[in-house]
Amino acid sequence: MSLSGSVIAIMITILVYMSVMVIIGAIFSKKNVNVGDFYLGGRKLGPIVSAMSAEASDMSSYLLMGLPGLAYLCGTAEVGWTALGLAAGTYLNWLIVAKRLRVYSQKIGAITIPDFFSNRFRDDRHVLMALSSVIILIFFVPYTASGFSACGKLFNQLFGWEYHFAMVVSAVVIIAYTSLGGFMAASFTDLIQSIVMTTSLLILLLYGISTAGGIGAVIDNAKSIPDYLAMTSTTTNSISGGEHTDFGFLPIVSTLAWGLGYFGMPHILLRFMAIEDKNKIKISRRIASIWVVFAMGIAVLIGLIGNTLTHGGVVKALATSSESETVVLEMATVLAQHSIPAALVAGLIFAGILACTMSTSDSQLLVASSSMSENLIKSVFGIKLSDKLSMAAARLVLLIIALLGIVLAWDQSSSVFRVVSFAWAGFGATFGPLMLVSLFWKRANKYGACAGIIVGGAVIFIWKFVISKLGGVFAIYELLPAFILALIAIIVVSLVTPAPEKAITDEFDAVSAEVK
């Protein structure tokens, strides 16, 4: 089959997929009566949708590009410990945060994360709400931009489309279904996208093993590369013969620290707040935890298979970090050249990569939009709007934020995963400690809460751009020190300032009693 034929088949599959996303947005647009529906879906998420929506919005393009690429190039050490940290973080987030946040947020009438913090601590001056909203805008606008950029690069590589055109088209589709259908559209498209991701992973796994000559050939290839399968040592580049270094206690702790980020991810925490029945969260936890382990495990294995295919001459050598992240694209491209049906299947794989990115971008757009329209415009600045005007404002703000994301994504050379890593650390350090303290420590107060956000945010920037440059013990993922220092700040400041009023502690006790 000609290459042009395979490209057409791939394009048809992707266009069908993207059209379905927009149709879902149009369907759910009729169900948004007020901003509570638009931003939180009226708290009507079932256990399956809530689980898969949370995990799809979590994974982003890291699942089908970052993890396989890192495994392909460097082996199992760094990617393995990172995956373990993410899996543990996912499980613990569902175990200790989900139910309590669902109950607490409904009790205090919170529909956004800034709402929750402000109402939880009775911050009548809205200082905490303003801080939280600004943090969301600081980290989510570039995070969203990274998603747009990933989509643009995908279409550029696939079809040779000009990067800026491809990036804008992808952004328009995401904006369309998210602005039309709001939270429920984003959640149900996330469910579909998680299915597409899973199908893509399974297809690649089976195709890759078959083409490589069986799982035994994959294992033999991995064993032939020094340190490739080790968990305490690693190779910097298995393709061009890079250095072999120890992967000791400090790097392991640093990569495991990725799991701490979950406690502060607004787009994941919102799924907890939107769950319909708090008593079914256990079902969601099991589904989410199993899927994450399954998906990341296969993604890592695909990286190892891709390395085998390179050494077998099937896939070209991908000798740099940015090139290795395209190993899934390269494998799918080889698959597409077999036949029209194979090209359609390859199109589904490419749609899976789009799904990873889109499922995160739509959630981020909603969170950033709610922070601006609901928290800053209405609460902090005190501008009163009717339900109809609030819906219009919500969609307008979402559009403005998306446009800012497009502007930031205009530079094609920008690093998608560097931005994602930094934004993940930012949310994990500013919101993570505060969320845990808000849910589990009655003595915490609004002064400690503000201190935690400020310290967490400041340390992220200082550690990333100043302290980490010193190297050695300081060259760790900025999330870990920032999380610890933010937690200390919350505790110390809360203890040296007045205790919260009785109404707040009584409310805390009532939530604790209901959760048991």
Side-chain angles (χ1 to χ4, degrees), residues 87 118 123 157 264 287 297 352 354 371-372 417 427 432 459 490:
S118 185
D123 180 24
Q157 179 164 340
I287 294 172
L354 271 180
S371 296
M372 177 67 78
F417 297 110
F427 282 123
V459 173
I490 297 171

Side-chain angles (χ1 to χ4, degrees), residues 485-505:
L485 291 173
L487 183 60
I488 292 173
I490 297 171
I491 295 172
V492 171
V493 174
S494 292
L495 290 176
V496 299
T497 51
E501 58 193 71
K502 188 175 184 300
I504 297 177
T505 57

Side-chain angles (χ1 to χ4, degrees), residues 104 107 120 122 500-510:
Y104 219 140
K107 192 171 191 64
R120 159 69 175 85
R122 298 293 199 279
E501 58 193 71
K502 188 175 184 300
I504 297 177
T505 57
D506 287 346
E507 190 172 72
F508 181 94
D509 290 336

Side-chain angles (χ1 to χ4, degrees), residues 28-50:
F28 279 100
S29 68
K30 301 175 183 178
K31 300 184 180 183
N32 290 318
V33 179
N34 52 48
V35 290
D37 292 333
F38 188 77
Y39 286 130
L40 207 58
R43 301 185 197 271
K44 297 174 184 176
L45 285 191
I48 296 177
V49 176
S50 59

Side-chain angles (χ1 to χ4, degrees), residues 118-362:
S118 185
N119 296 353
R120 159 69 175 85
F121 294 105
R122 298 293 199 279
D123 180 24
D124 297 331
R125 295 186 177 182
H126 301 305
V127 175
L128 192 51
M129 180 177 287
L131 280 174
S132 303
S133 300
V134 169
I135 287 293
I136 284 174
L137 293 176
I138 287 174
F139 290 112
F140 258 160
V141 172
Y143 207 150
T144 302
S146 71
F148 292 166
S149 177
C151 289
K153 290 175 181 177
L154 172 64
F155 283 116
N156 175 261
Q157 179 164 340
L158 271 179
F159 309 124
W161 291 1
E162 198 274 328
Y163 166 77
H164 299 102
F165 171 76
M167 184 265 291
V168 171
V169 169
S170 304
V172 167
V173 172
I174 296 171
I175 293 166
Y177 74 76
T178 306
S179 62
L180 281 171
F183 183 84
M184 290 302 287
S187 297
F188 275 87
T189 53
D190 286 350
L191 173 62
I192 294 173
Q193 287 159 346
S194 68
I195 295 171
V196 174
M197 292 182 215
T198 305
T199 305
S200 301
L201 286 167
L202 287 173
I203 290 171
L204 270 180
L205 177 68
L206 296 175
Y207 170 72
I209 290 176
S210 173
T211 306
I215 192 66
V218 175
I219 295 173
D220 289 341
N221 175 76
K223 286 181 177 179
S224 70
I225 303 171
D227 297 322
Y228 196 68
L229 292 179
M231 293 298 285
T232 56
S233 57
T234 186
T235 174
T236 57
N237 195 318
S238 64
I239 301 300
S240 61
E243 297 179 1
H244 299 274
T245 60
D246 290 334
F247 202 83
F249 177 76
L250 195 61
I252 289 173
V253 171
S254 185
T255 50
L256 284 174
W258 273 79
L260 293 174
Y262 280 104
F263 301 123
M265 289 300 124
H267 53 303
I268 298 174
L269 298 173
L270 277 180
R271 265 61 184 184
F272 298 164
M273 293 167 62
I275 293 170
E276 183 176 28
D277 186 350
K278 67 180 186 294
N279 295 316
K280 293 183 179 179
I281 287 177
K282 183 182 290 187
I283 299 173
S284 299
R285 182 177 74 239
R286 290 170 177 170
I287 294 172
S289 300
I290 291 172
W291 185 83
V292 163
V293 172
F294 170 81
M296 289 194 298
I298 291 182
V300 171
L301 186 53
I302 286 172
L304 305 186
I305 293 170
N307 188 287
T308 306
L309 295 178
T310 290
H311 285 98
V314 178
V315 171
K316 69 178 183 180
L318 308 169
T320 66
S321 295
S322 59
E323 288 178 346
S324 69
E325 290 174 353
T326 67
V327 62
V328 168
L329 299 179
E330 296 295 336
M331 290 172 65
T333 300
V334 173
L335 169 62
Q337 296 175 26
H338 289 293
S339 64
I340 289 290
L344 292 172
V345 171
L348 185 64
I349 295 170
F350 291 125
I353 298 174
L354 271 180
C356 290
T357 303
M358 292 170 70
S359 60
T360 302
S361 294
D362 58 23

